[in-house]
Amino acid sequence: MVTQNPDDLPLDELLDLLQSEVMAAPVLLGTVALAGAYLAGHGNPIVGDGIAAGALVAVIVTVRVSASLICTLYVNTVLHMEALAAGDLTSPIQYRDCVGRMTKAMAVFRDNREQVRASAESATAVVAQLGLGLDAMASGKMTYTIATAFVGGYDRLRMTFNRTVEGL
């Protein structure tokens, strides 16, 4: 029985817990199936066969449902990671399942990628505007200034360029 929130466990303990809980149900049901087989072989075939057959069906269902639940979580996470790697920065990232630690990291990757993209766009705009200004100066236009403010710390370059032009 889990008495601690799985999100609070260290990763190695979480993996151990997951493995033990996934393995416990089939082992328990397998034991019941063996008990049924024992009864069937020792004088009570109808009850024993019924117990063994029921336990075997329960083992199969438990294994299939467990595999489906676990695989679905990982497959969905992989699909979200692939979409993120392809540039999808808008899809929601879920935190509610046992893959929550990975999905939290995905959110950080997404946010970092968005910041890198925005920074690259800003740098491209700065280079373009400074290039226009330097081209104007090279062609003899010594009054060209850059009116549009640059984003963040880049605006200092614009102001320095404009002061340089004014000083000429």
Side-chain angles (χ1 to χ4, degrees):
M1 173 184 274
V2 177
T3 58
Q4 185 177 4
N5 183 349
D7 289 339
D8 297 334
L9 292 175
L11 187 57
D12 58 338
E13 288 181 31
L14 183 62
L15 291 174
D16 289 344
L17 175 66
L18 179 64
Q19 182 180 4
S20 66
E21 288 187 9
V22 167
M23 297 303 292
V27 169
L28 177 63
L29 292 171
T31 304
V32 171
L34 287 174
Y38 177 81
L39 286 174
H42 289 86
N44 205 342
I46 294 174
V47 173
D49 287 346
I51 290 173
L56 183 59
V57 168
V59 166
I60 292 169
V61 168
T62 300
V63 168
R64 298 222 25 171
V65 168
S66 296
S68 172
L69 290 174
I70 292 167
C71 291
T72 299
L73 294 174
Y74 283 99
V75 167
N76 287 342
T77 300
V78 168
L79 292 174
H80 280 94
M81 284 181 160
E82 289 173 343
L84 177 62
D88 179 3
L89 304 178
T90 60
S91 293
I93 297 175
Q94 304 287 328
Y95 303 117
R96 298 174 300 185
D97 53 40
C98 67
V99 194
R101 291 175 181 179
M102 226 183 330
T103 57
K104 286 179 185 178
M106 286 172 51
V108 171
F109 296 151
R110 179 188 60 203
D111 295 345
N112 287 346
R113 181 172 175 162
E114 178 60 24
Q115 288 176 354
V116 167
R117 185 199 57 75
S119 180
E121 284 180 4
S122 296
T124 300
V126 167
V127 168
Q129 287 295 314
L130 287 174
L132 289 173
L134 292 172
D135 285 344
M137 289 174 68
S139 66
K141 297 178 187 172
M142 299 300 179
T143 59
Y144 183 91
T145 58
I146 302 171
T148 305
F150 294 158
V151 176
Y154 290 124
D155 201 46
R156 183 170 177 225
L157 286 172
R158 179 187 67 89
M159 292 185 304
T160 302
F161 176 86
N162 288 344
R163 275 196 315 272
T164 302
V165 168
E166 290 169 8
L168 296 174

